[in-house]
């Protein structure tokens, strides 16, 4: 049973591994702007710009903090799905998986 569960299905296509990385929208926009891939967000004049990096939310589902650059690479190389959470952090709407970058290799 274990060998069968880990083997390639009869269709010949191996199952995809899915990893959930939690990044809030503002952090994602800041990351893309920091990398020069997205217009910079408008910063509140009373907010210190040098503290933005420390405020980025990049973590796993169980709270393991992730390197923001690794999260950005994963998003650019893979697929993203936007999930809307309620006030308690419970998902209330799931989007479809989509590539961030579409090109000849995707």
């Amino acid at each position: 049973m274990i060998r069968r569960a880990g083997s390639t299905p009869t269709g010949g296509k191996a199952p995809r591994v899915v990893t959930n990385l939690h990044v809030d929208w503002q952090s994602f926009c800041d990351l893309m702007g920091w990398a020069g891939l997205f217009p910079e967000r408008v910063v509140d004049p009373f907010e210190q710009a040098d503290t933005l990096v420390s405020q980025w939310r990049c973590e796993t589902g169980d709270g393991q903090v992730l390197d923001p650059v690794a999260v950005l690479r994963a998003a650019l190389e893979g697929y993203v799905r936007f999930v809307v959470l309620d006030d308690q952090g419970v998902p209330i709407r799931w989007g479809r998986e989509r590539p961030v970058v579409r090109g000849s290799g995707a």
Side-chain angles (χ1 to χ4, degrees):
M1 180 173 26
I2 294 172
R3 273 193 217 123
R4 195 170 14 139
S7 66
T8 303
T10 53
K13 200 171 186 184
R16 256 186 343 155
V17 174
V18 176
T19 304
N20 294 312
L21 307 176
H22 297 245
V23 182
D24 65 84
W25 175 249
Q26 196 59 61
S27 295
F28 188 73
C29 290
D30 287 345
L31 272 168
M32 294 289 279
W34 172 82
L37 302 171
F38 203 69
E40 289 186 38
R41 75 176 178 98
V42 177
V43 179
D44 182 339
F46 300 105
E47 182 178 14
Q48 293 182 354
D50 59 346
T51 62
L52 289 178
V53 173
S54 65
Q55 295 172 1
W56 288 344
R57 178 180 185 232
C58 300
E59 58 192 41
T60 62
D62 61 357
Q64 176 78 31
V65 177
L66 301 169
D67 175 19
V69 175
V71 170
L72 181 60
R73 283 186 180 157
L76 293 175
E77 293 173 2
Y79 291 85
V80 296
R81 175 191 346 229
F82 293 100
V83 179
V84 179
L85 307 176
D86 67 10
D87 292 340
Q88 288 76 40
V90 176
I92 57 173
R93 181 160 186 198
W94 293 76
R96 293 190 345 212
E97 293 179 3
R98 297 186 182 269
V100 174
V101 178
R102 295 177 195 210
S104 59

